[in-house]
Protein backbone atom coordinates (compact mmCIF):
# COMPACT_ATOMS: atom_id res chain seq x y z
CA UNK A 1 0.00 0.00 0.00
CA UNK A 2 1.48 3.32 -0.96
CA UNK A 3 2.39 5.87 1.64
CA UNK A 4 0.84 9.30 2.01
CA UNK A 5 1.78 10.97 -1.27
CA UNK A 6 0.45 13.82 -2.80
CA UNK A 7 6.04 12.99 -5.56
CA UNK A 8 17.50 23.23 -17.59
CA UNK A 9 17.92 22.92 -20.86
CA UNK A 10 15.93 25.01 -23.31
CA UNK A 11 13.67 23.13 -25.69
CA UNK A 12 15.19 22.17 -29.00
CA UNK A 13 14.28 23.78 -32.28
CA UNK A 14 11.29 26.10 -32.42
CA UNK A 15 9.54 24.57 -29.42
CA UNK A 16 8.51 27.32 -26.98
CA UNK A 17 9.35 26.94 -23.31
CA UNK A 18 6.33 27.23 -20.98
CA UNK A 19 6.23 30.68 -19.43
CA UNK A 20 6.96 30.54 -15.69
CA UNK A 21 6.50 33.77 -13.78
CA UNK A 22 8.86 32.68 -11.00
CA UNK A 23 10.78 29.67 -9.77
CA UNK A 24 10.07 30.61 -6.12
CA UNK A 25 6.71 32.25 -5.66
CA UNK A 26 4.08 32.65 -2.91
CA UNK A 27 1.91 29.59 -2.47
CA UNK A 28 -1.80 29.97 -1.70
CA UNK A 29 -2.99 26.63 -0.37
CA UNK A 30 -3.98 24.90 2.87
CA UNK A 31 -1.04 25.82 5.10
CA UNK A 32 -1.39 22.80 7.36
CA UNK A 33 -1.13 20.42 4.41
CA UNK A 34 1.92 22.21 3.12
CA UNK A 35 3.53 21.94 6.56
CA UNK A 36 2.66 18.24 6.72
CA UNK A 37 4.49 17.44 3.50
CA UNK A 38 7.46 19.53 4.54
CA UNK A 39 7.72 17.44 7.74
CA UNK A 40 7.58 14.05 6.03
CA UNK A 41 9.99 14.96 3.19
CA UNK A 42 13.15 13.42 4.74
CA UNK A 43 11.64 9.91 5.03
CA UNK A 44 9.04 10.12 2.25
CA UNK A 45 10.77 7.79 -0.22
CA UNK A 46 11.71 5.15 2.36
CA UNK A 47 8.15 5.00 3.66
CA UNK A 48 6.69 4.75 0.17
CA UNK A 49 8.85 1.72 -0.62
CA UNK A 50 8.24 0.10 2.74
CA UNK A 51 4.49 0.61 2.91
CA UNK A 52 3.77 -0.44 -0.68
CA UNK A 53 6.43 -3.18 -0.86
CA UNK A 54 7.73 -1.27 -3.88
CA UNK A 55 4.45 -1.55 -5.78
CA UNK A 56 4.06 2.25 -6.01
CA UNK A 57 6.80 2.20 -8.64
CA UNK A 58 4.68 -0.07 -10.87
CA UNK A 59 1.62 2.17 -10.45
CA UNK A 60 3.67 5.26 -11.30
CA UNK A 61 4.97 3.67 -14.52
CA UNK A 62 1.36 2.92 -15.46
CA UNK A 63 0.47 6.56 -14.78
CA UNK A 64 3.23 7.81 -17.06
CA UNK A 65 2.19 5.38 -19.80
CA UNK A 66 -1.46 6.53 -19.60
CA UNK A 67 -0.35 10.16 -20.01
CA UNK A 68 0.66 9.45 -23.62
CA UNK A 69 4.02 11.19 -23.17
CA UNK A 70 6.54 10.68 -25.98
CA UNK A 71 10.04 11.61 -27.08
CA UNK A 72 10.66 15.36 -27.31
CA UNK A 73 7.51 16.38 -25.41
CA UNK A 74 7.21 19.18 -22.89
CA UNK A 75 5.40 17.74 -19.88
CA UNK A 76 4.16 18.84 -16.47
CA UNK A 77 4.16 16.92 -13.19
CA UNK A 78 2.01 18.62 -10.54
CA UNK A 79 2.42 17.76 -6.85
CA UNK A 80 5.73 16.19 -7.82
CA UNK A 81 6.89 15.44 -4.29
CA UNK A 82 10.36 13.94 -4.30
CA UNK A 83 10.26 13.46 -8.06
CA UNK A 84 9.41 9.84 -8.88
CA UNK A 85 7.02 10.68 -11.74
CA UNK A 86 9.25 13.50 -12.98
CA UNK A 87 12.20 11.13 -13.35
CA UNK A 88 10.05 8.60 -15.24
CA UNK A 89 8.74 11.37 -17.50
CA UNK A 90 12.26 12.61 -18.20
CA UNK A 91 13.25 9.15 -19.44
CA UNK A 92 10.28 9.21 -21.83
CA UNK A 93 10.84 12.69 -23.28
CA UNK A 94 14.62 12.28 -23.58
CA UNK A 95 17.26 14.95 -23.93
CA UNK A 96 15.19 16.90 -26.49
CA UNK A 97 12.18 17.12 -24.19
CA UNK A 98 11.53 18.96 -20.97
CA UNK A 99 9.86 18.17 -17.64
CA UNK A 100 8.47 20.88 -15.37
CA UNK A 101 7.86 19.48 -11.87
CA UNK A 102 5.82 21.61 -9.47
CA UNK A 103 5.09 21.24 -5.76
CA UNK A 104 4.06 23.48 -2.86
CA UNK A 105 6.59 21.87 -0.46
CA UNK A 106 10.03 23.46 -0.61
CA UNK A 107 11.50 20.58 1.40
CA UNK A 108 10.14 17.99 -1.05
CA UNK A 109 11.60 19.96 -3.94
CA UNK A 110 14.97 20.07 -2.21
CA UNK A 111 14.90 16.27 -1.84
CA UNK A 112 13.95 15.94 -5.53
CA UNK A 113 16.76 18.26 -6.66
CA UNK A 114 19.23 16.29 -4.52
CA UNK A 115 18.10 13.04 -6.14
CA UNK A 116 18.52 14.66 -9.56
CA UNK A 117 22.14 15.62 -8.78
CA UNK A 118 22.91 12.00 -7.86
CA UNK A 119 21.71 10.65 -11.22
CA UNK A 120 24.00 10.45 -14.23
CA UNK A 121 21.66 9.95 -17.20
CA UNK A 122 21.68 12.99 -19.49
CA UNK A 123 17.88 13.02 -19.72
CA UNK A 124 17.55 13.80 -16.01
CA UNK A 125 19.05 17.23 -16.64
CA UNK A 126 15.84 18.18 -18.48
CA UNK A 127 13.85 18.52 -15.23
CA UNK A 128 13.10 21.93 -13.73
CA UNK A 129 11.74 22.08 -10.17
CA UNK A 130 9.18 24.82 -9.48
CA UNK A 131 7.63 25.80 -6.15
CA UNK A 132 4.04 26.73 -6.90
CA UNK A 133 0.33 26.28 -6.37
CA UNK A 134 -1.66 23.58 -8.17
CA UNK A 135 -4.71 25.85 -8.37
CA UNK A 136 -2.77 28.77 -9.85
CA UNK A 137 -0.21 27.27 -12.23
CA UNK A 138 2.49 29.78 -13.27
CA UNK A 139 2.43 28.77 -16.95
CA UNK A 140 0.81 30.08 -20.09
CA UNK A 141 -2.08 28.25 -21.76
CA UNK A 142 -1.60 25.26 -24.08
CA UNK A 143 2.03 24.83 -23.01
CA UNK A 144 2.26 21.09 -22.31
CA UNK A 145 1.99 17.88 -24.33
CA UNK A 146 1.08 15.76 -21.30
CA UNK A 147 0.71 16.03 -17.53
CA UNK A 148 0.64 13.86 -14.43
CA UNK A 149 -0.37 14.16 -10.78
CA UNK A 150 0.75 11.49 -8.32
CA UNK A 151 -1.02 11.33 -4.96
CA UNK A 152 -1.77 15.02 -5.07
CA UNK A 153 -5.30 15.76 -6.26
CA UNK A 154 -6.74 14.21 -3.10
CA UNK A 155 -4.86 16.76 -1.02
CA UNK A 156 -5.80 19.85 -3.04
CA UNK A 157 -8.53 21.89 -1.40
CA UNK A 158 -10.11 23.13 -4.65
CA UNK A 159 -9.88 20.07 -6.90
CA UNK A 160 -12.08 21.50 -9.64
CA UNK A 161 -9.93 24.61 -9.92
CA UNK A 162 -6.83 22.44 -10.11
CA UNK A 163 -8.31 20.40 -12.96
CA UNK A 164 -9.37 23.60 -14.72
CA UNK A 165 -5.77 24.79 -14.46
CA UNK A 166 -4.50 21.49 -15.88
CA UNK A 167 -6.98 21.84 -18.73
CA UNK A 168 -5.79 25.40 -19.39
CA UNK A 169 -2.07 24.59 -19.64
CA UNK A 170 -2.45 21.40 -21.70
CA UNK A 171 -2.47 21.45 -25.48
CA UNK A 172 -5.66 20.32 -27.26
CA UNK A 173 -5.82 16.53 -27.51
CA UNK A 174 -3.25 15.94 -24.76
CA UNK A 175 -3.89 14.04 -21.53
CA UNK A 176 -3.48 14.31 -17.79
CA UNK A 177 -2.96 11.07 -15.87
CA UNK A 178 -3.77 11.21 -12.15
CA UNK A 179 -2.74 8.48 -9.69
CA UNK A 180 -4.09 8.32 -6.14
CA UNK A 181 -5.75 6.14 -3.55
CA UNK A 182 -9.11 4.80 -4.70
CA UNK A 183 -12.20 5.77 -2.73
CA UNK A 184 -13.85 2.43 -3.38
CA UNK A 185 -17.61 1.96 -3.52
CA UNK A 186 -17.05 -1.58 -2.19
CA UNK A 187 -17.56 -1.78 1.57
CA UNK A 188 -15.19 -4.76 1.73
CA UNK A 189 -12.37 -2.91 -0.04
CA UNK A 190 -12.93 0.19 2.09
CA UNK A 191 -12.85 -1.85 5.30
CA UNK A 192 -9.61 -3.57 4.31
CA UNK A 193 -8.12 -0.22 3.34
CA UNK A 194 -9.04 1.27 6.74
CA UNK A 195 -7.60 -1.75 8.54
CA UNK A 196 -4.31 -1.51 6.61
CA UNK A 197 -3.95 2.18 7.47
CA UNK A 198 -4.73 1.66 11.16
CA UNK A 199 -2.81 -1.59 11.62
CA UNK A 200 0.13 -1.26 9.23
CA UNK A 201 0.64 2.26 7.88
CA UNK A 202 0.27 4.26 11.10
CA UNK A 203 2.33 1.86 13.28
CA UNK A 204 5.17 1.86 10.75
CA UNK A 205 4.99 5.64 10.39
CA UNK A 206 5.11 5.96 14.18
CA UNK A 207 8.55 4.37 14.07
CA UNK A 208 9.65 7.45 12.13
CA UNK A 209 7.88 9.77 14.57
CA UNK A 210 5.13 10.49 12.02
CA UNK A 211 2.07 8.71 13.43
CA UNK A 212 -0.08 11.85 13.56
CA UNK A 213 0.88 12.79 9.99
CA UNK A 214 -0.24 9.41 8.66
CA UNK A 215 -3.47 9.34 10.67
CA UNK A 216 -4.52 12.03 8.19
CA UNK A 217 -4.40 9.52 5.34
CA UNK A 218 -7.64 7.68 6.19
CA UNK A 219 -9.71 10.83 6.46
CA UNK A 220 -8.25 12.24 3.26
CA UNK A 221 -9.39 9.12 1.37
CA UNK A 222 -12.88 9.30 2.88
CA UNK A 223 -13.12 12.96 1.82
CA UNK A 224 -11.89 12.16 -1.69
CA UNK A 225 -14.03 11.33 -4.74
CA UNK A 226 -15.07 7.99 -6.23
CA UNK A 227 -14.04 7.10 -9.76
CA UNK A 228 -17.40 8.16 -11.18
CA UNK A 229 -17.21 11.46 -9.31
CA UNK A 230 -13.70 12.11 -10.61
CA UNK A 231 -14.80 11.46 -14.20
CA UNK A 232 -17.69 13.89 -13.74
CA UNK A 233 -15.45 16.53 -12.17
CA UNK A 234 -12.95 16.30 -15.03
CA UNK A 235 -15.61 16.82 -17.69
CA UNK A 236 -17.05 19.74 -15.71
CA UNK A 237 -13.53 21.23 -15.70
CA UNK A 238 -13.54 21.17 -19.50
CA UNK A 239 -11.95 17.85 -20.46
CA UNK A 240 -13.58 16.19 -23.45
CA UNK A 241 -13.20 12.67 -22.08
CA UNK A 242 -12.36 11.12 -18.70
CA UNK A 243 -11.84 7.49 -17.71
CA UNK A 244 -11.09 6.10 -14.25
CA UNK A 245 -9.19 2.83 -13.78
CA UNK A 246 -9.04 0.84 -10.54
CA UNK A 247 -5.57 -0.63 -9.98
CA UNK A 248 -3.66 -2.21 -7.10
CA UNK A 249 -6.47 -4.65 -6.25
CA UNK A 250 -8.87 -1.70 -6.07
CA UNK A 251 -6.91 0.20 -3.44
CA UNK A 252 -5.49 2.63 -6.01
CA UNK A 253 -7.02 4.45 -8.96
CA UNK A 254 -5.91 6.35 -12.03
CA UNK A 255 -7.95 9.03 -13.79
CA UNK A 256 -7.06 9.74 -17.42
CA UNK A 257 -8.60 12.90 -18.86
CA UNK A 258 -8.23 14.18 -22.42
CA UNK A 259 -8.08 17.92 -23.19
Amino acid sequence: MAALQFALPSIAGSRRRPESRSIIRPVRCAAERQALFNRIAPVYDNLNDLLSLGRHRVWKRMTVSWSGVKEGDTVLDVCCGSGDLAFLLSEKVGINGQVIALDFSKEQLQVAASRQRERTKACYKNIEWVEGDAVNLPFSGSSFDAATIGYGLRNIVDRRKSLEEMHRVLKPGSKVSILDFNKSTSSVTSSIQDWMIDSIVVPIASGYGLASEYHYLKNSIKEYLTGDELEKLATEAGFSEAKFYEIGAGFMGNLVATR
Side-chain angles (χ1 to χ4, degrees):
M1 188 173 196
L4 174 62
Q5 303 190 63
F6 292 89
L8 300 107
S10 59
I11 302 165
S14 61
R15 190 183 297 272
R16 181 171 62 87
R17 184 188 185 283
E19 178 187 352
S20 175
R21 294 192 290 272
S22 176
I23 298 302
I24 303 297
R25 59 190 298 275
V27 177
R28 291 178 295 278
C29 58
E32 68 278 9
R33 298 189 184 190
Q34 186 177 14
L36 184 154
F37 286 103
N38 284 338
R39 289 196 302 273
I40 68 175
V43 297
Y44 186 68
D45 293 319
N46 287 341
L47 277 172
N48 288 343
D49 281 328
L50 183 61
L51 295 173
S52 72
L53 301 178
R55 293 294 294 172
H56 73 101
R57 300 187 183 279
V58 175
W59 303 326
K60 287 170 180 173
R61 290 189 178 278
M62 294 170 68
T63 299
V64 169
S65 178
W66 269 319
S67 76
V69 62
K70 59 187 182 301
E71 178 82 21
D73 278 352
T74 301
V75 299
L76 175 65
D77 181 33
V78 172
C79 305
C80 66
S82 59
D84 278 357
L85 284 175
F87 291 123
L88 293 174
L89 290 167
S90 72
E91 293 172 1
K92 289 287 189 180
V93 302
I95 59 174
N96 293 321
Q98 186 174 33
V99 179
I100 306 294
L102 178 142
D103 202 280
F104 66 177
S105 168
K106 184 176 294 185
E107 281 74 8
Q108 290 277 17
L109 291 171
Q110 289 172 345
V111 171
S114 176
R115 294 177 70 194
Q116 183 184 30
R117 288 192 293 271
E118 295 171 355
R119 302 187 177 213
T120 58
K121 282 187 180 181
C123 65
Y124 294 138
K125 299 183 186 301
N126 66 12
I127 306 172
E128 177 183 343
W129 310 102
V130 178
E131 183 180 355
D133 188 349
V135 299
N136 185 22
L137 297 175
F139 312 111
S140 56
S142 302
S143 295
F144 296 97
D145 300 293
T148 57
I149 305 178
Y151 297 98
L153 186 63
R154 171 174 44 86
N155 295 293
I156 295 171
V157 175
D158 191 342
R159 299 183 187 114
R160 176 166 180 163
K161 176 61 175 172
S162 177
L163 287 174
E164 288 173 345
E165 280 289 276
M166 297 296 283
H167 181 272
R168 179 182 66 80
V169 301
L170 283 170
K171 296 177 181 177
S174 56
K175 297 178 181 179
V176 60
S177 182
I178 302 173
L179 171 66
D180 216 312
F181 284 91
N182 178 34
K183 181 180 179 179
S184 178
T185 57
S186 164
S187 59
V188 174
T189 300
S190 295
S191 296
I192 295 173
Q193 193 174 58
D194 287 348
W195 177 85
M196 292 178 72
I197 293 171
D198 290 336
S199 304
I200 300 175
V201 173
V202 172
I204 290 175
S206 67
Y208 290 81
L210 295 170
S212 61
E213 284 80 357
Y214 279 76
H215 272 299
Y216 163 79
L217 178 57
K218 185 162 69 174
N219 285 338
S220 75
I221 296 172
K222 291 186 181 303
E223 294 169 1
Y224 196 39
L225 303 176
T226 66
D228 287 344
E229 290 169 338
L230 285 168
E231 290 177 351
K232 183 174 184 290
L233 186 64
T235 55
E236 289 174 349
F239 288 92
S240 62
E241 184 180 351
K243 177 66 176 177
F244 183 81
Y245 301 92
E246 288 193 350
I247 58 177
F251 296 115
M252 304 293 149
N254 203 104
L255 175 70
V256 182
T258 303
R259 167 80 157 80

